[in-house]
């Protein structure tokens, strides 16, 4: 069974009600407190949307309440749910936040939520929860970095840097855009003469921030260490340009 939502305002209406963009197929329909009305799989055609879920009648009634002046038609139609549709179960009165916390392996937010689209019911509590979670992860990443740098300062030899390196990897799992952790990790790997691995880390930093001067400086040093003078000179030149641009901006 599917809900067929049609009419000239159908697509705009569903975009306002759904928690994800239509291109991603999976979406949640929530109340303002982020309690789940339905989890669904959506297929968009030119002027209609097929909505597959486990509570079609309830979701249809819910959507009809919000279609006041729009040109929209809702009808139930006997259709087989697409084979590739894997719609998750949820408990009555469960919020999308609770479902995400209770089943981290399912990556509920990644599957059903877009944090880049416009407003939809339940967006505010979901965004607040995500931002709070990200701040906590950033704090943990900072703590791992501080501990790693303490080990680095006290390490009698490069061979003793393994615990610090593991802490930095944990920091990057918590915050994959943590530039200081990438830089420190690259330096510590280079201290252990793992230059190719260090180069890989610096290229990751370069992708995150192409204007990071230390990424280019370290890449120049590390490539020189493995005997690739031409690439080392290229990154040295990039570092010089970035330093010049930085001085002009001050």
């Amino acid at each position: 069974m599917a809900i067929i939502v049609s009419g000239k305002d159908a697509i705009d209406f569903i975009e306002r009600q759904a928690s994800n963009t239509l291109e991603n197929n999976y979406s949640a329909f929530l109340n303002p407190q982020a309690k789940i009305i339905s989890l669904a799989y959506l297929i968009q055609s030119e002027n209609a949307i097929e909505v597959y879920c486990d509570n079609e009648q309830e979701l249809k009634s819910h959507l009809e309440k919000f279609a006041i002046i729009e040109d929209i038609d809702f009808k139930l139609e006997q259709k087989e749910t697409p084979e590739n549709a894997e719609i998750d179960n949820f408990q009555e009165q469960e919020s999308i936040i609770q479902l995400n916390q209770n089943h981290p392996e399912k990556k509920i937010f990644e599957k059903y939520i877009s944090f880049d689209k416009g407003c939809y019911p339940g967006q505010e509590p979901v965004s607040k929860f995500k931002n709070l979670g990200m701040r906590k992860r950033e704090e943990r990443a900072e703590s791992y970095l501080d501990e790693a740098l303490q080990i680095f300062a006290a390490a009698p030899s490069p061979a003793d840097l393994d615990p610090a390196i593991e802490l930095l990897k944990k920091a990057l799992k918590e915050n994959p855009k943590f530039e200081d952790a990438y830089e420190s990790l690259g330096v510590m790997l280079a201290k252990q003469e793992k230059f190719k691995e260090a180069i890989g880390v610096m290229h990751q930093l370069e992708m995150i921030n192409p204007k990071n001067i230390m990424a280019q400086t370290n890449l120049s040093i590390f490539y020189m260490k493995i005997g690739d003078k031409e690439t080392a000179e290229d990154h040295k030149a990039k570092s010089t340009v970035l330093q010049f641009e930085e001085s002009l901006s001050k």
Side-chain angles (χ1 to χ4, degrees):
M1 187 75 75
I3 307 168
I4 309 301
V5 186
S6 59
K8 71 180 183 65
D9 297 324
I11 292 173
D12 287 343
F13 174 79
I14 292 297
E15 283 279 17
R16 292 196 303 272
Q17 293 295 319
S19 64
N20 210 344
T21 58
L22 294 177
E23 292 79 8
N24 288 299
N25 295 115
Y26 291 99
S27 194
F29 293 91
L30 310 171
N31 74 6
Q33 292 76 44
K35 297 286 181 65
I36 301 170
I37 306 298
S38 186
L39 299 178
Y41 184 87
L42 283 64
I43 299 176
Q44 178 184 350
S45 59
E46 187 174 351
N47 291 311
I49 301 166
E50 297 176 12
V51 182
Y52 296 90
C53 61
D54 294 332
N55 57 341
E56 299 91 352
Q57 188 60 63
E58 182 181 349
L59 178 58
K60 178 175 176 288
S61 298
H62 170 78
L63 294 175
E64 286 173 336
K65 294 176 185 176
F66 295 92
I68 300 171
I69 60 173
E70 291 90 348
D71 179 7
I72 304 176
D73 179 60
F74 301 91
K75 65 177 181 180
L76 294 176
E77 190 171 306
Q78 195 67 44
K79 282 179 170 285
E80 289 291 329
T81 302
E83 289 186 4
N84 60 329
E86 297 181 1
I87 303 168
D88 294 272
N89 297 319
F90 63 95
Q91 302 297 317
E92 187 177 354
Q93 292 297 302
E94 186 173 24
S95 74
I96 193 83
I97 295 168
Q98 291 169 325
L99 187 63
N100 184 69
Q101 288 179 299
N102 293 337
H103 301 281
E105 76 286 356
K106 293 186 177 183
K107 300 181 178 179
I108 296 295
F109 277 3
E110 292 179 27
K111 186 173 181 178
Y112 293 98
I113 302 288
S114 170
F115 290 97
D116 299 320
K117 73 182 293 286
C119 292
Y120 59 87
Q123 182 184 39
E124 186 175 352
V126 169
S127 295
K128 284 183 178 178
F129 176 81
K130 178 179 180 287
N131 292 336
L132 176 62
M134 188 61 214
R135 284 197 297 273
K136 288 181 178 179
R137 293 183 67 182
E138 287 173 350
E139 289 171 2
R140 287 196 294 269
E142 289 277 2
S143 176
Y144 290 141
L145 173 63
D146 290 344
E147 190 176 348
L149 292 177
Q150 290 175 21
I151 294 171
F152 178 71
S157 71
D160 297 297
L161 292 177
D162 285 347
I165 287 171
E166 289 306 310
L167 284 167
L168 291 171
K169 289 179 179 178
K170 287 173 69 174
L172 290 171
K173 284 184 179 179
E174 294 288 352
N175 182 4
K177 295 184 179 180
F178 194 6
E179 294 184 32
D180 289 348
Y182 279 109
E183 184 183 339
S184 298
L185 179 57
V187 168
M188 291 189 200
L189 289 169
K191 289 286 186 183
Q192 293 187 334
E193 299 188 355
K194 298 175 181 177
F195 295 113
K196 290 185 178 180
E197 194 174 343
I199 286 169
V201 171
M202 286 300 103
H203 277 305
Q204 286 179 284
L205 176 54
E206 182 186 29
M207 284 190 290
I208 290 168
N209 181 7
K211 293 187 178 293
N212 188 295
I213 295 171
M214 289 311 300
Q216 300 301 330
T217 301
N218 285 328
L219 281 168
S220 176
I221 295 169
F222 300 162
Y223 272 111
M224 189 66 75
K225 290 289 187 180
I226 63 172
D228 189 342
K229 185 177 180 180
E230 184 178 348
T231 305
E233 291 294 336
D234 179 52
H235 285 289
K236 184 178 180 181
K238 288 180 181 178
S239 174
T240 302
V241 169
L242 289 173
Q243 290 178 61
F244 180 68
E245 290 177 348
E246 187 180 73
S247 66
L248 288 178
S249 67
K250 292 181 178 178

